[in-house]
Amino acid sequence: MTITQTGTTDDDDNLLTSEEGSSSGFTVVLDDQPSSNVTVSLSGNDSSEGSLSTDLLTFTPRNWLTPQHVTVTGVDDSIVDGDITTTLTATANNAGGYAGTESDTTTVKNTDNETSGVT
């Protein structure tokens, strides 16, 4: 399977979101045609820093090569915690000729919008 980043990235190739609610995205496709439906689950998301448009994709023997898009949107918190980078992993289930070890990753950096100080 292949993940392709479709959103804005930084110099380290992290997808960029922000606590102000900006979004970024990526697509997932299978590398080989399955013999039956294959589900791909997305894991590793820190829900306090980002939300995913979906965490489960389904590929069929007909649409296996059609990219499926996932949007990641930054989540605001009130903590001065700096920029947080999360690794998202897409893993195919054990079906359709995929052994459950087929996976790919992408990283997302959510930029912090709080500043430290005394008021």
Side-chain angles (χ1 to χ4, degrees):
M1 127 184 26
T2 302
I3 291 179
T4 303
Q5 297 173 328
T6 59
T8 305
T9 59
D10 65 9
D11 291 339
D12 295 322
D13 286 330
N14 298 307
L15 288 168
L16 291 175
T17 62
S18 74
E19 289 189 356
E20 292 156 348
S22 67
S23 297
S24 202
F26 59 94
T27 60
V28 179
V29 296
L30 299 182
D31 294 331
D32 299 303
Q33 185 175 14
S35 58
S36 62
N37 289 0
V38 173
T39 57
V40 173
S41 60
L42 299 170
S43 61
N45 186 49
D46 177 352
S47 61
S48 68
E49 293 293 330
S51 66
L52 300 176
S53 59
T54 186
D55 61 0
L56 188 67
L57 305 169
T58 300
F59 291 92
T60 69
R62 289 188 173 176
N63 78 352
W64 67 278
L65 197 51
T66 301
Q68 294 192 35
H69 192 265
V70 178
T71 301
V72 185
T73 303
V75 171
D76 193 12
D77 59 31
S78 59
I79 303 167
V80 180
D81 55 358
D83 298 344
I84 303 293
T85 302
T86 304
T87 300
L88 301 176
T89 303
T91 305
N93 71 337
N94 190 8
Y98 281 78
T101 57
E102 179 79 20
S103 66
D104 199 3
T105 62
T106 190
T107 53
V108 180
K109 182 192 289 181
N110 191 39
T111 56
D112 196 13
N113 65 353
E114 280 79 38
T115 57
S116 61
V118 177
T119 54

